[in-house]
Amino acid sequence: MASAARSLTRAVTRPKPAFSCRLIARTVPAQSFRNSSRRGYSSEAKSGKSSNGLLWGIALAAAGGAGAYFYLNGGEVKVKTPAPFVPTKEDYQKVYNEIARLLVEKDDYDDGSYGPVLVRLAWHASGTYDKDTGTGGSNGATMRFAPESDHGANAGLKFARDFLEPVKEKFPWITYSDLWTLGGVCAIQEMQGPAIPWRPGRQDMDFSACTPDGRLPDASKDQKHIRAIFGRMGFDEREMVALSGAHSLGRAHTDRSGYDGPWDFSPTVFTNEFFRLLVDEKWSGRKWNGPAQYTDKTTSTLMMLPTDIALVKDKEFKKHVERYAKDSETFFKEFSDVFVKLLELGVPFTSKAEDRWTFKTLE
């Protein structure tokens, strides 16, 4: 009797097994779980408590797993850093197109085009290069700063820099150095000149990289000066004459250089007319109060600088002038080659020469 009583007592007082989430999770059908989840806010309080208890159990298990992952990975949250923007040819074509569009839209400059002054900006930003010291050139865009912006040869180029500023604002990733040279390329091509292959890679610098005054051509000088200035950059005589062909564009201003007038009758169209006029026209000194310059005998409306006339006074220079005067295609080809060289002087490119791009003109 006593034995039976003890057995009964142990049966009554034995602790019941703990509630097992695992057991419930295995025995509750998936469809019933989904249905109970959907009824969460419309069920009775009792059934709601039961469903919420199950969800809390699953959430705690998930949180524990996440905590374990966080701990096992050194407590660091790894965030993927986006790759840096690397502009493609198509991106630079968009910049080109914007410059070309503005050249059409803004026709309130000399003879209806900002094109010639954009070419001059690219030319003067690049023509400061010194091959002996490796300083100067288009890399840096140091004409943004004084004293280089105030050099006499750069008078009036603020118009070109300001013209390109909205383009810089629209495409802030492009450097001023690349923008100014691309602006010159665009201007030549849009004014019916030759295609100018181009590549990016120039980096902007601060005012400490400004070049000293006197590195650009002085229009009042002779052929010796031309050889000295262009020779410092690394050009031969043929290249010196070809680059001078940029005078087929634009005009001189008395409030900038002191000189006055256009070089030919189509200052916004790139042609070989500059050379033809040098050879075929009669030039005489202009009688006026300004610096020494020449005027054409036929119309007295055109002008040539002393450095221009020096190209036909010098025998070595003149033979190239005559070649270009007779053959526009030859001039276009050789000008393109030397202009590419000018824009790349002193630039530490990481790309190869064969990686240059030729951009489509605006249609």
Side-chain angles (χ1 to χ4, degrees), residues 24-250:
I24 293 177
R26 286 179 177 173
T27 58
V28 176
Q31 185 62 40
S32 298
F33 176 73
R34 286 194 293 270
N35 290 339
S36 66
S37 298
R38 293 192 188 101
R39 295 196 302 270
Y41 288 103
S42 59
S43 301
E44 296 178 0
K46 183 176 181 180
S47 62
K49 287 181 180 179
S50 175
S51 175
N52 288 343
L54 177 59
L55 292 176
W56 272 107
I58 295 173
L60 288 171
Y69 176 83
F70 183 78
Y71 175 78
L72 293 174
N73 282 274
E76 296 181 359
V77 177
K78 298 180 180 179
V79 179
K80 186 177 181 180
T81 304
F85 174 64
V86 179
T88 63
K89 178 184 178 181
E90 287 68 31
D91 293 309
Y92 286 103
Q93 180 71 61
K94 292 177 182 178
V95 179
Y96 177 103
N97 292 346
E98 181 66 9
I99 298 171
R101 183 187 70 80
L102 291 176
L103 283 173
V104 174
E105 181 181 297
K106 296 186 176 183
D107 58 357
D108 57 343
Y109 195 69
D110 288 347
D111 306 299
S113 177
Y114 276 87
V117 76
L118 291 188
V119 175
R120 183 166 167 250
L121 173 64
W123 208 117
H124 284 216
S126 306
T128 57
Y129 181 67
D130 184 333
K131 62 181 177 60
D132 294 329
T133 63
T135 58
S138 63
N139 195 54
T142 50
M143 201 192 302
R144 291 172 293 149
F145 310 107
E148 189 172 336
S149 59
D150 298 328
H151 291 171
N154 293 330
L157 288 179
K158 186 178 185 300
F159 290 100
R161 298 194 299 271
D162 289 349
F163 175 89
L164 292 173
E165 198 59 35
V167 184
K168 174 66 173 173
E169 292 176 2
K170 187 171 184 178
F171 303 96
W173 48 263
I174 191 172
T175 64
Y176 280 102
S177 309
D178 278 341
L179 177 61
W180 291 357
T181 53
L182 182 55
V185 168
C186 177
I188 289 172
Q189 293 190 172
E190 295 302 316
M191 291 187 289
Q192 304 178 40
I196 310 291
W198 181 91
R199 55 177 164 159
R202 299 162 188 81
Q203 299 299 316
D204 294 339
M205 294 184 241
D206 61 26
F207 67 91
S208 64
C210 285
T211 55
D213 200 358
R215 288 195 176 185
L216 293 168
D218 182 340
S220 67
K221 304 295 184 180
D222 59 12
Q223 54 267 42
K224 291 181 180 179
H225 174 75
I226 296 174
R227 285 189 171 88
I229 291 293
F230 286 82
R232 189 205 68 239
M233 293 183 249
F235 295 115
D236 60 30
E237 291 175 340
R238 178 184 61 83
E239 293 171 324
M240 296 176 191
V241 177
L243 278 176
S244 298
H247 281 173
S248 66
L249 299 171

